[in-house]
């Protein structure tokens, strides 16, 4: 029996969207491609301490797998006790680092040159790249005397302005006000502002209840780029790629640049690119403001007449400030392209390696739906991580995490870095100072392995276990007090809402500036099937949520199964019946029942799940379309990753409604419509029956419409609802 909790594919089958790849996967806690999460501490070295020789330095690589993509794990050997003592002894305060850099600057010794080494083979090439990366870090690209030359003096007023949301959010709150807001968030004491009625969407703004003289902030949309507090260096490029704002994007941009948490389940193929440009502009703006603030304060500290009592707190524990969680490498490429277009660097280090491992010209079949092609066209590998580092004129790809400003990763790729369940073997310190996290295409991540997303959120903004060269005299107070999660901005982007996303919104979005939740007004996908047929929705009840799965199964076996056991040619018989199952757990339970119950001994059936091999899928499809099997079990995740065109479907039973409303249209309207058009089915005999309960409220609303689902949940005169 296949395990219940898995990711996209089991070892026996090659279940990928887009291009087919060789099986190179391992086992335990799986994501889409069943990568093994390796145990072992991943040690990252920081260059914020004084230079010391590093023994047993890690080959911090991303090894190329057999098919040319990365099967990666940054892993280093543990240091000995003596080496730990040496590292502790060598870590100097930040002022010592500045003094040493000044000595290097005035030294007559010529600058060290990198030696070119011609090495063949993947491991040799990777070793050279890592050695070069370390040499580049040693050359001191954080030298204030160098970085000051790039400091934009025109932006100085913008940085210092109390009206800038960057300053208001991270520096504008006194300890008393911050503590009061944190207490309100902890107590779930929110002031709620709701939007005016709109035909397509609405929002609710939650801010910590005001208990002082400051007014409760309201939500107002922007009129254009001029309303955004951008760095001067970004205004020109932003004007080229974001020329106009439509109603919804203007509303969203206001919340993004005010550092509010956002749950946005209104992502579509039409607005996806604009939303990505907005989030990329916001993250670059944040990185540049953070960097320029540090550079400016470095200049103050380097003056001869410096006030030794000056306290400048402008940093976190570690350098990474932005985290993107994305479903595929192709999505990562699209984000990186926007960032490059916005910052326009003069140099791009390791770009060739980046293009080789992330770009792909593979295309999916035009017969596949547009949303499928959008997700799986190109490089659809879901195991990746990429660090981006910004210096004066350069963007560096594949920067080590502790030296990166922005981290792009899939949940599986980042989960592998975080380590095993043993706390002694974990390394999540590089997530301790994340200030903005963006999760895009959350519905796709939900189909991969949502537990990885929750695990990552549980390890954000924790107190680091090691110093990593941190100058604690420069660390912001709320970092030291363990309050960083209350100032972190979280942006969740999805095509629709689902319970796991709501859970993340309720438990992990604790922003003291407030959180904004959008909701869609649904017309009901059942009204847009392309054919007119009878649709039945059957409600079952339960007393506690724990009873819901058992009551659903009981309803299925007592009410639905008898219709499957009728003779094939009798009215209402089970011939050519497709049973749709939203989860693998439901699939296993129903499959075992049909295979072992005496009540179903005359029912012949096949099955297709996300773990079924290609050979078994072909056999099941053939037997079902030919009539050899009267019933076919089919899971939602199998449909998500493959979008099979199933032939011969005459009746559909939905054990549960799909999360993605597009699937209801494709399965009901697509499969039954194809049978009708091919003259295999009379439209009067076509039918669909769907089971639902109170826990399916979000699915039901998307299926039947926002103006129908409430009555169906509250109706007391019956539990059967027919639509024709």
């Amino acid at each position: 029996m296949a395990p219940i909790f898995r990711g996209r594919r089991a070892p026996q089958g090659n279940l990928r969207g887009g291009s087919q790849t060789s099986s190179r996967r391992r086992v335990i806690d799986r994501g889409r491609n069943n990568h093994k999460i390796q145990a072992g501490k991943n040690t990252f070295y920081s260059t914020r301490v004084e230079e010391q020789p590093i023994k047993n330095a890690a080959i911090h690589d991303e090894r190329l797998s057999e098919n040319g993509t990365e099967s990666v794990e940054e892993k280093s050997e543990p240091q000995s006790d003596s080496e730990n003592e040496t590292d502790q002894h060598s870590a100097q305060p930040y002022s010592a680092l500045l003094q040493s850099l000044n000595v290097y600057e005035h030294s007559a010794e010529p600058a060290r040159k990198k030696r070119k080494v011609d090495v063949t083979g993947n491991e040799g090439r990777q070793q050279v790249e890592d050695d070069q990366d370390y040499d580049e870090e040693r050359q001191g690209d954080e030298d204030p005397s160098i970085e000051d030359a790039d400091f934009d003096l025109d932006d100085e007023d913008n940085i210092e302005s109390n009206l800038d949301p960057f300053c208001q959010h991270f520096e504008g709150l006194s300890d008393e006000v911050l503590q009061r807001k944190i207490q309100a968030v902890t107590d779930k004491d929110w002031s709620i502002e709701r939007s005016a009625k709109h035909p397509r969407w609405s929002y609710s703004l939650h801010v910590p209840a005001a208990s002082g003289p400051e007014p409760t902030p309201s939500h107002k949309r922007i009129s254009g780029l001029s309303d955004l507090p951008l760095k001067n260096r970004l205004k020109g490029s932003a004007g080229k790629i974001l020329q106009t704002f439509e109603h919804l994007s203007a509303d969203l941009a206001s919340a993004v640049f005010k550092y509010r948490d956002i749950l946005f389940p209104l992502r579509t193929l039409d607005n996806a690119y604009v939303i990505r440009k907005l989030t990329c502009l916001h993250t670059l703006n944040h990185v540049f403001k953070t960097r320029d603030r540090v550079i400016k304060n470095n200049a103050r500290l380097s003056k001869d007449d410096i006030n030794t009592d000056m306290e400048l707190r402008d940093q976190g524990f570690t350098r990474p400030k932005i985290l993107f969680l994305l479903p595929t490498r192709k999505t990562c490429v699209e984000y990186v392209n926007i960032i490059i277009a916005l910052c326009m660097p003069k140099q791009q280090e390791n770009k060739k390696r980046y293009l080789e491992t992330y770009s792909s010209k593979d295309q999916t079949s035009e017969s596949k739906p547009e949303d499928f092609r959008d997700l799986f066209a190109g490089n659809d590998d879901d195991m990746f991580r990429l660090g981006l580092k910004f210096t004066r004129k350069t963007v560096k790809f594949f920067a080590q995490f502790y030296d990166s400003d922005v981290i792009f990763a899939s949940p599986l790729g980042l989960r592998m870095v975080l380590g095993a369940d043993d706390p002694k073997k974990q390394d999540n310190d590089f997530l301790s100072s994340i200030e903005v996290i963006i999760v895009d295409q959350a519905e796709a991540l939900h189909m991969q392995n949502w537990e990885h997303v929750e695990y990552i959120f549980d390890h954000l903004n924790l107190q680091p276990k090691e110093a990593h060269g941190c100058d604690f005299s420069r660390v912001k107070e709320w970092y030291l007090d363990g309050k960083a999660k209350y100032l972190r901005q979280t942006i969740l982007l999805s095509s629709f809402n689902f319970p796991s996303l709501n859970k993340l919104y309720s438990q992990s979005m604790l922003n003291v500036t407030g959180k904004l939740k959008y909701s869609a007004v649904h017309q009901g996908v059942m009204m847009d099937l392309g054919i007119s047929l009878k649709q039945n929705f059957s409600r079952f009840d339960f007393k506690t949520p724990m009873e819901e799965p058992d009551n659903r199964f009981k309803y299925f076996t007592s009410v639905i199964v008898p219709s499957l056991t009728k003779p094939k040619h009798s009215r209402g018989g089970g011939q050519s019946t497709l049973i749709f199952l939203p989860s693998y757990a439901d699939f296993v339970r129903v499959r075992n029942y049909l295979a072992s119950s005496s009540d179903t001994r005359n029912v012949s059936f096949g099955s297709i799940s996300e773990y079924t091999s290609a050979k078994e899928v072909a056999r099941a499809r053939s037997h079902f379309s030919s009539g050899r099997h009267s019933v076919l079990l089919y899971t939602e995740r199998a449909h998500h990753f493959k979008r099979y065109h199933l032939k011969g479907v005459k009746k559909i039973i939905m054990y549960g409604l799909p999360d993605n409303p597009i699937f209801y249209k494709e399965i009901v309207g697509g499969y039954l419509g194809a049978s009708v058009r091919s003259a295999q089915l009379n439209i009067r005999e076509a039918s669909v029956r769907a089971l639902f309960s109170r826990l399916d409220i979000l699915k039901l609303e998307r299926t039947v419409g926002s103006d129908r689902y409430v009555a169906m949940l509250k109706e007391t005169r019956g539990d059967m609802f027919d639509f024709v």
Side-chain angles (χ1 to χ4, degrees):
M1 181 184 301
I4 290 178
F5 182 71
R6 290 196 179 188
R8 176 175 173 180
R9 186 180 73 199
Q12 65 267 30
N14 188 4
L15 185 56
R16 291 184 64 91
S19 59
Q20 300 293 324
T21 58
S22 61
S23 176
R24 69 189 197 284
R25 316 303 186 196
R26 302 183 288 276
V27 282
I28 83 172
D29 194 2
R30 295 175 176 83
R32 188 187 79 182
N33 293 329
N34 300 308
H35 295 270
K36 180 179 178 181
I37 298 174
Q38 298 185 12
K41 186 172 180 179
N42 305 287
T43 304
F44 299 82
Y45 294 101
S46 171
T47 60
R48 297 176 62 185
V49 297
E50 187 178 8
E51 297 175 27
Q52 294 290 337
I54 298 178
K55 300 180 180 179
N56 298 328
I59 301 178
H60 188 78
D61 61 346
E62 295 190 308
R63 297 178 177 87
L64 300 180
S65 64
E66 298 171 356
N67 63 355
T69 58
E70 292 170 301
S71 177
V72 300
E73 182 58 29
E74 291 98 348
K75 184 175 181 181
S76 60
E77 298 179 5
Q79 293 179 325
S80 65
D81 293 339
S82 61
E83 289 170 339
N84 289 334
E85 293 173 359
T86 303
D87 289 342
Q88 294 174 3
H89 179 71
S90 63
Q92 299 296 329
Y94 201 79
S95 57
L97 174 61
L98 295 175
Q99 293 176 4
S100 65
L101 291 174
N102 289 333
V103 171
Y104 296 150
E105 179 183 4
H106 296 92
S107 174
E109 182 181 353
R112 176 181 177 180
K113 296 182 179 179
K114 290 186 291 183
R115 178 171 56 91
K116 294 184 178 180
V117 182
D118 185 13
V119 184
T120 59
N122 290 336
E123 294 184 1
R125 182 183 67 177
Q126 185 62 54
Q127 179 66 61
V128 172
E129 287 176 350
D130 292 334
D131 291 342
Q132 290 176 346
D133 289 348
Y134 184 67
D135 286 342
E136 291 163 4
E137 297 301 329
R138 294 184 60 186
Q139 291 176 10
D141 56 10
E142 297 298 330
D143 187 342
S145 62
I146 298 176
E147 295 285 4
D148 261 349
D150 188 52
F151 181 69
D152 193 347
L153 297 178
D154 293 337
D155 282 342
E156 191 165 352
D157 293 338
N158 187 30
I159 293 177
E160 297 293 344
S161 173
N162 292 329
L163 300 178
D164 187 350
F166 176 85
C167 295
Q168 289 180 335
H169 182 72
F170 294 105
E171 302 171 358
L173 298 178
S174 64
D175 292 342
E176 179 183 356
V177 173
L178 178 59
Q179 184 57 43
R180 189 166 65 241
K181 289 180 177 291
I182 290 176
Q183 188 62 47
V185 171
T186 304
D187 297 339
K188 298 183 178 180
D189 185 11
W190 301 98
S191 296
I192 303 176
E193 174 186 318
R194 302 189 185 279
S195 65
K197 190 174 182 180
H198 191 277
R200 293 186 295 114
W201 53 272
S202 62
Y203 69 77
S204 60
L205 172 64
H206 291 64
V207 295
S211 56
E214 67 278 358
T216 300
S218 60
H219 181 63
K220 297 179 181 179
R221 70 177 58 93
I222 64 170
S223 59
L225 278 176
S226 59
D227 293 339
L228 300 179
L230 297 176
K231 297 286 291 180
N232 284 348
R233 72 190 74 172
L234 291 173
K235 290 181 179 179
S237 56
K240 295 178 181 178
I241 69 171
L242 275 171
Q243 298 178 354
T244 59
F245 290 90
E246 55 94 18
H247 192 72
L248 183 58
S249 60
D251 195 272
L252 179 64
S254 174
V256 168
F257 280 85
K258 287 181 179 178
Y259 287 93
R260 285 175 174 154
D261 284 349
I262 301 170
L263 172 56
F264 188 81
L266 306 176
R267 182 189 179 278
T268 65
L269 296 177
D270 295 330
N271 64 23
Y273 189 51
V274 174
I275 293 173
R276 287 174 179 172
K277 289 189 286 188
L278 272 176
T279 52
C280 288
L281 180 61
H282 173 59
T283 55
L284 274 180
N285 197 50
H286 180 79
V287 167
F288 289 165
K289 287 186 177 183
T290 301
R291 176 172 167 269
D292 286 353
R293 174 58 59 86
V294 172
I295 294 170
K296 179 183 176 182
N297 289 338
N298 287 350
R300 291 179 179 177
L301 292 171
S302 64
K303 293 181 180 179
D304 295 335
D305 57 343
I306 185 172
N307 182 1
T308 57
D309 296 331
M310 181 182 298
E311 185 177 62
L312 299 175
R313 297 195 175 271
D314 52 10
Q315 300 178 15
F317 294 114
T318 54
R319 178 166 179 165
K321 293 294 181 288
I322 310 293
L323 174 63
F324 284 89
L325 289 182
L326 307 173
T328 64
R329 292 185 182 230
K330 179 246 186 186
T331 307
C332 177
V333 169
E334 292 175 349
Y335 269 99
V336 171
N337 289 344
I338 296 173
I339 286 180
I340 296 301
L342 285 170
C343 67
M344 297 183 295
K346 294 185 178 180
Q347 298 178 1
Q348 300 179 46
E349 295 186 25
N350 299 329
K351 185 176 182 180
K352 181 179 179 181
R353 175 185 166 200
Y354 160 73
L355 293 176
E356 290 174 350
T357 54
Y358 279 76
S359 296
S360 174
K361 296 181 180 180
D362 293 340
Q363 298 296 326
T364 58
S365 171
E366 291 296 326
S367 63
K368 299 294 185 181
E370 188 177 2
D371 67 300
F372 182 89
R373 299 197 304 270
D374 177 69
L375 178 60
F376 294 115
N379 192 334
D380 66 346
D381 187 8
D382 66 350
M383 207 293 293
F384 68 92
R385 52 190 177 269
L386 175 69
L388 250 61
K389 176 180 179 179
F390 296 88
T391 58
R392 288 190 302 125
K393 302 176 182 179
T394 303
V395 171
K396 179 180 179 181
F397 297 93
F398 298 104
Q400 297 184 18
F401 279 178
Y402 284 98
D403 298 324
S404 300
D405 297 294
V406 181
I407 295 175
F408 294 92
S410 64
L412 174 61
L414 197 56
R415 176 67 178 86
M416 292 179 69
V417 173
L418 297 181
D421 293 333
D422 184 357
K424 296 181 180 179
K425 298 180 180 180
Q426 294 176 354
D427 182 12
N428 50 57
D429 288 355
F430 61 89
L431 298 177
S432 63
S433 302
I434 295 295
E435 295 177 349
V436 180
I437 177 172
I438 297 170
V439 180
D440 195 8
Q441 294 178 281
E443 74 281 0
L445 303 182
H446 187 243
M447 287 290 105
Q448 292 177 1
N449 193 330
W450 189 256
E451 182 178 335
H452 294 328
V453 177
E454 294 178 338
Y455 185 90
I456 291 168
F457 269 86
D458 290 341
H459 288 77
L460 289 174
N461 301 121
L462 301 180
Q463 297 288 80
K465 301 180 182 65
E466 300 177 13
H468 301 286
C470 176
D471 178 10
F472 289 94
S473 67
R474 298 281 294 273
V475 176
K476 299 172 183 177
E477 293 285 355
W478 41 267
Y479 272 117
L480 298 174
D481 295 337
K483 300 175 181 177
K485 64 181 180 180
Y486 296 104
L487 288 102
R488 182 190 71 229
Q489 182 186 31
T490 302
I491 301 176
L492 305 178
L493 306 173
S494 178
S495 297
F496 53 84
N497 200 358
F498 50 91
S500 298
L501 203 61
N502 272 333
K503 179 183 176 182
L504 210 60
Y505 173 83
S506 301
Q507 299 182 1
S508 300
M509 299 172 72
L510 308 173
N511 195 332
V512 295
T513 303
K515 55 184 181 179
L516 192 66
K517 182 178 182 180
Y518 287 86
S519 301
V521 178
H522 299 280
Q523 301 302 317
V525 70
M526 73 173 185
M527 308 300 293
D528 188 29
L529 299 181
I531 59 173
S532 178
L533 74 161
K534 181 181 178 181
Q535 303 176 65
N536 175 272
F537 295 86
S538 302
R539 188 187 69 201
F540 65 92
D541 295 321
F542 56 88
K543 293 182 180 179
T544 65
M546 296 295 294
E547 297 177 354
E548 199 266 2
D550 292 334
N551 287 11
R552 184 184 296 269
F553 181 72
K554 182 179 179 180
Y555 188 95
F556 174 79
T557 56
S558 61
V559 179
I560 305 298
V561 168
S563 66
L564 302 178
T565 58
K566 292 181 180 180
K568 292 184 178 181
H569 299 291
S570 65
R571 184 175 178 83
Q575 185 178 15
S576 300
T577 300
L578 177 71
I579 300 180
F580 175 84
L581 301 117
S583 74
Y584 188 76
D586 295 331
F587 169 82
V588 171
R589 191 172 192 178
V590 172
R591 182 194 62 188
N592 292 347
Y593 173 80
L594 294 179
S596 60
S597 175
S598 59
D599 296 334
T600 60
R601 59 180 177 272
N602 295 326
V603 177
S604 60
F605 72 95
S607 61
I608 299 176
S609 75
E610 56 267 36
Y611 303 116
T612 307
S613 67
K615 183 178 180 180
E616 292 297 325
V617 168
R619 180 183 293 112
R621 295 175 67 181
S622 175
H623 288 177
F624 181 73
S625 63
S626 65
R628 184 172 177 178
H629 288 164
S630 60
V631 175
L632 178 63
L633 307 183
Y634 188 47
T635 65
E636 181 171 6
R637 295 177 76 195
H639 188 73
H640 170 79
F641 289 116
K642 299 305 291 186
R643 304 293 177 93
Y644 293 114
H645 296 284
L646 302 179
K647 298 179 181 180
V649 178
K650 298 180 180 179
K651 182 179 179 181
I652 295 177
I653 295 174
M654 290 198 160
Y655 191 82
L657 292 168
D659 270 312
N660 193 334
I662 296 177
F663 295 172
Y664 186 90
K665 179 179 178 180
E666 292 175 352
I667 292 173
V668 177
Y671 294 168
L672 292 179
S675 297
V676 171
R677 288 188 294 271
S678 63
Q680 293 179 305
L681 175 67
N682 189 317
I683 188 64
R684 296 179 181 179
E685 299 176 355
S687 67
V688 57
R689 187 170 187 176
L691 279 59
F692 74 94
S693 70
R694 297 193 307 271
L695 295 184
D696 296 323
I697 181 172
L698 295 175
K699 300 178 182 180
L700 186 65
E701 180 184 9
R702 292 189 288 267
T703 304
V704 303
S706 299
D707 56 350
R708 301 182 185 90
Y709 79 101
V710 175
M712 294 173 64
L713 292 171
K714 294 183 177 180
E715 180 61 55
T716 58
R717 293 173 295 180
D719 56 7
M720 303 279 288
F721 306 89
D722 291 331
F723 298 90
V724 180

